[in-house]
Amino acid sequence: WVQHAVAAARLGELAKVEEILERLRPFAEFNPDNFRSYFTLAEAERARAGGDSDGAVGGYLRTIEHAGEHGYVVLEAFANELLARHYRERGHRFAVAHFQEARALYLECGARGKAIHLEEEIPELRQAAGSRRLGVTVTPTTDRGSAHLDLGTALKASLAIAGEIALDQVVDRLVAISIENAGAERGVFVSVDGEDLRVEAEGVA
């Protein structure tokens, strides 16, 4: 009897979600710039609750893409976190990458406390962050090398270049992005002209 009652309650809740989604749908269709991300995120959560893993992943990815294009940083971070949790429950190897992206986006929008909470909750995220933790002060070390650029750096770099016109602004943003993704405390952009080296820009975390 209890199992039947729980199942009935769950079905009732999902029915309410469907009703809310139908109310949101016109907003997402007629004003997608403002509402599409919220709708696709709600769709993703509905799919996850219903056991539709592929539908959930698709909804999270659509939310991440749309929120990123329109500058909804918090929503993009939250969708990355939810996708990471979904992947982690299934032992998917991409979970840590999405946790890392969520952490970086939370920091970008000033949600430092949320970023620290993720570090404390997710052991793999602490390991990936290495010695440069947000919640504690330690001596930073890295064996990744100054030339290391991961996928997140490359993607953010391309967005930075596309969004800037002045070369000096591009260089400044590239330095900032590289510092963030390498987990460094300081970064320097050096140009090479024959045998001459010149510091074009530098930044600190």
Side-chain angles (χ1 to χ4, degrees), residues 33-121:
D33 286 359
N34 290 334
F35 294 102
R36 172 63 64 180
S37 298
Y38 296 96
F39 181 73
T40 54
L41 186 60
E43 277 189 321
E45 285 291 274
R46 167 63 181 86
R48 183 192 59 78
D52 181 4
S53 179
D54 291 341
V57 170
Y60 293 135
L61 291 175
R62 286 191 293 274
T63 302
I64 291 167
E65 181 181 10
H66 185 274
E69 288 177 353
H70 292 80
Y72 299 142
V73 182
V74 174
L75 197 58
E76 185 183 1
F78 190 43
N80 268 285
E81 179 185 348
L82 291 176
L83 177 56
R85 293 185 185 282
H86 182 73
Y87 277 154
R88 189 172 185 239
E89 289 174 357
R90 287 154 181 77
H92 202 297
R93 62 191 179 91
F94 289 150
V96 175
H98 284 285
F99 275 126
Q100 287 177 315
E101 184 66 9
R103 172 188 174 277
L105 289 165
Y106 282 131
L107 286 174
E108 183 178 326
C109 66
R112 181 181 174 85
K114 178 63 176 177
I116 293 174
H117 176 74
L118 278 182
E119 279 193 359
E120 292 174 345
E121 178 189 356

Side-chain angles (χ1 to χ4, degrees), residues 100 128 142-154 157 174-184 186-188:
Q100 287 177 315
T142 178
D143 57 1
R144 296 169 67 176
S146 59
H148 177 86
L149 290 177
D150 60 10
L151 178 60
T153 302
L174 284 175
V175 170
I177 290 167
S178 298
I179 290 173
E180 174 188 336
N181 281 272
R186 180 173 178 268
V188 179

Side-chain angles (χ1 to χ4, degrees), residues 3 11 16 26 39 54 106 119 121 131 141 148 164 175 185 188 194-196:
Q3 290 179 337
L11 288 174
K16 290 180 182 179
F39 181 73
D54 291 341
Y106 282 131
E119 279 193 359
E121 178 189 356
S131 60
T141 60
H148 177 86
E164 299 287 0
V175 170
E185 291 191 348
V188 179
E195 295 182 356
D196 296 329

Side-chain angles (χ1 to χ4, degrees), residues 20-39:
I20 294 171
L21 280 172
E22 287 307 309
R23 291 180 183 177
L24 280 174
R25 191 181 302 276
F27 293 94
E29 291 176 350
F30 295 113
N31 195 350
D33 286 359
N34 290 334
F35 294 102
R36 172 63 64 180
S37 298
Y38 296 96
F39 181 73

